[in-house]
């Protein structure tokens, strides 16, 4: 049976990027009768033929996305953040992959990063697609997944809707990290990690607070929200290998919270296990942890260096 795809675009409190997002989905190489577009929004959005509008009063991303899932007709759910873009062949690739692999639960792919200076760059990519059968998931493969990153943002994932519905109570408790839903699939269905980018992640001016030492309280709050989401997902998972995988991200978020919390307002205990787990996916985790013992003046220097390094990675400094 041919799969049907539901693209869900959450539009929350802004419309300045949404027309380009719409166009990137409407101009796909896949035949239009094989997918639908659902926009979940709390504001008035420009009407487009072939786009279904769902109004939502939810304030968190998990229940916001779930409002779209409830209306979806497709067996496959592909979220698209309203400030991101699908490449023209994305849905055609997704359609063909799910059609050939009926036990597939999660499809993930790299993204092209495009910053507000117009520069584009890509992360490391696989030489070939990686198909991981649920029956063969083990610690070795888990390490491969860690190296690739299960998450990044929700626009790089497509999900089997049946699993999303099975975990609906968990999804409705997610605040911001919709991409963390991917961890729910590690113990249920097969996973495909694609070898080439199929979307564009746009870094725009409103992201600048992420790279400024003048907004440390916002950075603490953001990382705390993601930490809470990972804890929520972890509590929904029964499979030990899947829980072991997400434990690395929980540990990293704990250290990042402590790193930015120069006023020491967050009461989080960092263990040796946390340091080991975080270091395995971020080579600067141990240094970040050590810097939390510095006086505030030295700690600010460490934070300034870390944020400057991140800006360089994202090509934000000319």
């Amino acid at each position: 049976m041919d799969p049907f795809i539901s693209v869900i675009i959450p539009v929350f409190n802004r419309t300045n990027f949404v027309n380009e997002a719409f166009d990137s989905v409407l101009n796909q190489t896949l035949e239009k009768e094989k997918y639908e577009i659902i926009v979940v929004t709390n504001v008035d959005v420009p009407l487009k033929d072939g786009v279904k509008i769902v109004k939502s009063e939810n304030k968190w991303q998990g229940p916001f996305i779930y409002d779209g899932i409830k209306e979806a007709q497709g067996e496959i759910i592909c979220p698209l953040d309203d400030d991101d873009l699908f490449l023209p062949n994305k849905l055609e690739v997704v359609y063909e992959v799910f059609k050939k692999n009926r036990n597939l639960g999660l499809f993930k792919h790299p993204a092209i990063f495009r910053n507000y200076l117009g520069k584009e760059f890509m992360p490391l990519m696989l030489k070939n697609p990686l198909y991981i059968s649920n029956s063969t998931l083990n610690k070795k493969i888990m390490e491969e997944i860690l190296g690739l990153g299960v998450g990044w943002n929700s626009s790089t994932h497509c999900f089997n809707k049946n699993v999303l519905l099975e975990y609906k109570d968990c999804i409705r408790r997610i605040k911001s990290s919709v991409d963390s839903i991917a961890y729910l699939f590690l113990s249920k269905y097969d996973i495909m990690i694609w070898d080439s980018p199929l979307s564009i992640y746009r870094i725009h001016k409103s992201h600048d607070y992420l790279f400024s030492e003048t907004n440390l309280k916002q950075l603490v709050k953001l990382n705390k929200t993601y930490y809470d989401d990972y804890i929520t997902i972890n509590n929904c998972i029964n499979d030990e290998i899947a829980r072991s995988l997400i434990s690395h991200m929980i540990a990293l978020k704990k250290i990042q919270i402590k790193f930015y919390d120069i006023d020491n307002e967050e009461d989080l205990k960092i263990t040796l296990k946390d340091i080991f787990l975080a270091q395995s996916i971020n080579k600067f985790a141990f240094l970040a942890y050590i810097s939390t013992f510095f006086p505030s003046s030295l700690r600010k220097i460490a934070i300034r260096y870390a944020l400057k390094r991140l800006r360089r990675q994202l090509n934000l400094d000319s």
Side-chain angles (χ1 to χ4, degrees):
M1 184 176 66
D2 288 350
F4 187 68
I5 301 171
S6 296
V7 178
I8 298 179
I9 307 176
V11 180
F12 188 79
N13 284 353
R14 65 182 181 190
T15 60
N16 47 324
F17 302 103
V18 75
N19 268 323
E20 292 173 83
F22 284 169
D23 289 343
S24 78
V25 185
L26 290 168
N27 295 323
Q28 289 288 303
T29 56
L30 183 67
E31 299 94 324
K32 286 186 170 52
E33 63 269 16
K34 293 180 178 177
Y35 67 95
E36 65 176 352
I37 306 171
I38 299 172
V39 175
V40 185
T41 183
N42 67 337
V43 294
D44 292 330
V45 297
L47 296 176
K48 290 257 188 180
D49 289 341
V51 176
K52 181 178 182 179
I53 306 296
V54 175
K55 286 289 188 176
S56 176
E57 297 303 319
N58 282 303
K59 298 187 182 341
W60 294 114
Q61 288 189 24
F64 207 71
I65 284 283
Y66 184 70
D67 284 343
I69 295 171
K70 288 188 297 184
E71 300 294 329
Q73 299 300 309
E75 302 95 333
I76 305 162
I77 304 294
C78 294
L80 172 64
D81 289 345
D82 65 356
D83 54 347
D84 290 342
L85 305 170
F86 282 171
L87 294 183
N89 65 328
K90 164 155 179 173
L91 294 185
E92 184 176 1
V93 171
V94 171
Y95 174 86
E96 292 297 335
V97 169
F98 273 90
K99 184 178 179 180
K100 292 175 183 175
N101 302 282
R102 301 305 293 175
N103 196 47
L104 187 63
L106 169 66
F107 177 90
K108 174 184 166 50
H109 61 78
I112 296 171
F113 290 65
R114 178 187 295 167
N115 67 28
Y116 53 74
L117 301 175
K119 297 177 182 178
E120 291 188 350
F121 55 100
M122 289 183 288
L124 286 173
M125 294 182 294
L126 296 172
K127 292 182 179 179
N128 297 292
L130 176 63
Y131 192 90
I132 304 167
S133 170
N134 174 257
S135 62
T136 62
L137 184 64
N138 55 40
K139 288 187 177 181
K140 182 176 183 298
I141 293 175
M142 183 190 76
E143 290 171 0
E144 289 187 64
I145 297 173
L146 276 173
L148 295 167
V150 172
W152 171 247
N153 85 323
S154 55
S155 302
T156 62
H157 296 95
C158 290
F159 305 102
N160 179 307
K161 186 174 75 172
N162 288 332
V163 184
L164 294 177
L165 292 175
E166 182 180 343
Y167 286 106
K168 61 184 179 183
D169 292 336
C170 187
I171 292 170
R172 287 186 296 205
R173 297 201 303 271
I174 297 295
K175 295 178 179 178
S176 294
S177 182
V178 173
D179 58 304
S180 67
I181 293 171
Y183 290 94
L184 297 172
F185 288 77
L186 298 181
S187 60
K188 288 290 180 182
Y189 284 79
D190 298 350
I191 303 164
M192 170 73 85
I193 302 179
W194 204 240
D195 60 340
S196 58
L198 295 173
S199 66
I200 296 175
Y201 179 86
R202 297 198 289 184
I203 304 163
H204 42 79
K205 275 288 186 181
S206 64
H207 289 136
D208 266 354
Y209 81 94
L210 295 171
F211 321 117
S212 171
E213 61 190 279
T214 61
N215 294 296
L216 294 184
K217 287 189 180 296
Q218 283 181 275
L219 288 174
V220 171
K221 183 178 178 181
L222 178 67
N223 281 285
K224 182 64 164 57
T225 300
Y226 281 116
Y227 170 77
D228 290 341
D229 284 344
Y230 286 130
I231 293 293
T232 296
I233 293 291
N234 186 63
N235 290 337
C236 294
I237 297 172
N238 293 321
D239 183 84
E240 286 304 313
I241 293 178
R243 294 188 74 170
S244 177
L245 181 60
I246 199 171
S247 67
H248 291 72
M249 291 303 302
I250 292 172
L252 180 60
K253 285 301 168 190
K254 285 173 72 173
I255 290 176
Q256 288 173 330
I257 292 166
K258 293 287 283 187
F259 179 62
Y260 292 121
D261 182 26
I262 60 172
D263 295 325
N264 298 315
E265 294 177 347
E266 296 293 333
D267 185 25
L268 285 174
K269 306 299 183 186
I270 308 294
T271 66
L272 287 175
K273 183 178 180 180
D274 289 329
I275 298 168
F276 173 77
L277 292 173
Q279 183 72 20
S280 68
I281 57 174
N282 186 317
K283 63 181 180 180
F284 295 101
F286 178 70
L287 292 176
Y289 170 70
I290 292 298
S291 72
T292 64
F293 296 98
F294 293 173
S296 60
S297 57
L298 290 178
R299 195 157 159 190
K300 285 181 180 179
I301 293 173
I303 292 171
R304 188 181 307 128
Y305 172 80
L307 295 177
K308 186 175 181 179
R309 181 178 173 275
L310 181 57
R311 289 184 64 88
R312 284 200 306 269
Q313 288 178 329
L314 299 176
N315 287 322
L316 292 174
D317 294 322
S318 301

